[in-house]
């Protein structure tokens, strides 16, 4: 955090403490106690946020050695997205400036129009016979039918920048325990739209980055294949694959890195029903992990990593 944010945060924590002390002395009955408990839980988020994100690690750009381009598999996951949107995504993936790459279309919709578009652009089309474990299962099927040293995952509605591979693969050369490099998400919405998630991408992820706790954001992420193979593939236990796969990687002593720059640009839900569906899925995933695979007792995590994973579920 910068100096002004630290001052503002400390003032907020101080005022929360003063308020809770006053409230505790003016609480009457079960309803009053319920209010005090709710206020205390909300205030605890500010304490946890300041503790976790006081120090932030800003990314530095590491270009890949031009004489060494390890093989990269680009996985495009698609189910029922509109054909015109996906074709734009595929065209951008094909145009990624990286010679030693293979683009795979992982189609869980088994659609002939998607297959035709993939073949037209020279991509490898894969459609698994058994549609289980959602996106994680689709990614694992792609892994079983490819062999690149690194895997770049891009969602069907995300347009990738041409320099995404050359800008990100270089990070793996200096850290052999680095399992993934994740990036900031960017969406085609108004500048003041909440889908930009400024708090998360601008402040929380850099704080997590400082404690080797940066989490995958699902798209625009490069994984080291050997690390994913070591944990037996993308994790299928949870609702979505990105958070829990990162959780397991961290528990196995792998590192992650967050680049606070957007290399993909895509769509985001604008109507309330889809917004609540998306956010509800994220909330359900973190709560399942908190109660059934608790960071309090998960082996292999450092104390700071536990606090970051607790923060996600606590919020």
């Amino acid at each position: 955090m910068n100096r002004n944010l630290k001052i503002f945060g400390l003032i907020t924590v101080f005022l929360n403490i003063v308020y809770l002390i006053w409230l505790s002395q003016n609480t009457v009955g079960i309803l009053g106690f319920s209010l005090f408990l709710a206020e205390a839980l909300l205030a605890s988020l500010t304490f946890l946020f300041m503790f976790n994100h006081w120090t932030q690690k800003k990314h530095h750009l590491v270009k890949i050695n031009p004489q060494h381009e390890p093989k990269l598999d680009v996985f495009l996951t698609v189910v029922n997205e509109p054909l015109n949107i996906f074709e734009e995504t595929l065209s951008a993936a094909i145009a990624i400036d990286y010679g030693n790459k293979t683009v795979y279309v992982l189609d869980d919709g088994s659609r002939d129009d998607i297959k035709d578009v993939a073949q037209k652009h020279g991509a490898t089309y894969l459609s698994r016979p058994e549609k289980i474990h959602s996106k994680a299962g689709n990614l694992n099927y792609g892994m079983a039918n490819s062999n690149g040293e690194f895997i770049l995952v891009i969602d069907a509605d995300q347009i990738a920048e041409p320099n995404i591979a050359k800008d990100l693969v270089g990070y793996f050369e200096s850290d052999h325990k680095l399992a993934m490099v994740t990036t900031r998400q960017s969406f085609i919405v108004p500048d003041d739209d909440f889908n930009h998630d400024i708090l998360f991408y601008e402040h929380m992820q850099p704080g997590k980055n400082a404690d080797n706790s940066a989490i995958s954001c699902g798209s625009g992420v490069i994984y080291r294949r050997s690390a994913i193979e070591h944990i037996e593939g993308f994790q299928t236990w949870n609702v979505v694959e990105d958070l829990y796969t990162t959780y397991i990687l961290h528990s196995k002593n792998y590192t992650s890195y967050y680049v606070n720059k957007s290399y993909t640009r895509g769509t985001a839900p604008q109507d309330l029903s889809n917004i609540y569906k998306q956010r509800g899925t994220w909330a359900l995933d973190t709560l399942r992990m908190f109660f059934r695979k608790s960071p309090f007792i998960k082996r292999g995590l450092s104390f700071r990593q536990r606090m970051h994973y607790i923060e996600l579920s606590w919020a």
Side-chain angles (χ1 to χ4, degrees), residues 105-248:
V105 174
L106 309 182
D107 180 18
D108 255 3
S110 300
R111 293 160 52 186
D112 290 335
D113 56 353
I114 295 293
K115 183 176 182 179
D116 292 341
V117 167
Q119 292 175 342
K120 182 179 76 171
H121 287 275
T124 300
Y125 177 85
L126 296 174
S127 182
R128 56 191 177 134
E130 192 176 13
K131 308 296 193 293
I132 59 173
H133 299 141
S134 302
K135 183 180 174 182
N138 198 9
L139 291 172
N140 288 332
Y141 186 77
M143 284 188 64
N145 290 274
S146 61
N147 58 12
E149 185 177 350
F150 299 102
I151 298 168
L152 168 60
V153 177
I154 301 175
D155 285 346
D157 60 347
Q158 297 278 324
I159 308 301
E161 296 291 335
N163 57 328
I164 183 171
K166 286 190 174 179
D167 276 12
L168 301 182
V169 171
Y171 287 97
F172 293 94
E173 294 183 347
S174 59
D175 183 359
H176 296 294
K177 293 296 291 182
L178 183 61
M180 66 167 204
V181 176
T182 186
T183 60
R184 183 174 188 147
Q185 297 279 9
S186 178
F187 302 101
I188 306 171
V189 293
D191 290 340
D192 59 351
D193 191 277
F194 76 96
N195 277 298
H196 291 298
D197 283 319
I198 293 175
L199 177 65
F200 177 73
Y201 290 115
E202 190 68 29
H203 302 289
M204 293 180 68
Q205 279 282 63
K208 295 180 183 302
N209 208 30
D211 296 319
N212 186 31
S213 302
I215 64 172
S216 167
C217 298
S219 183
V221 185
I222 296 185
Y223 298 92
R224 189 190 298 272
R225 177 184 291 269
S226 61
I228 300 298
E229 289 177 338
H230 184 230
I231 63 170
E232 300 181 345
F234 291 92
Q235 300 299 290
T236 60
W237 171 81
N238 50 321
V239 181
V240 291
E241 87 296 337
D242 46 12
L243 173 62
Y244 193 63
T245 296
T246 308
Y247 187 60
I248 297 301

Side-chain angles (χ1 to χ4, degrees), residues 23-46:
L23 188 61
S24 68
Q25 296 172 349
N26 292 273
T27 296
V28 179
I30 186 65
L31 290 179
F33 176 77
S34 299
L35 172 64
F36 174 79
L37 181 61
E39 294 280 29
L41 291 174
L42 288 171
S44 69
L45 278 174
T46 62

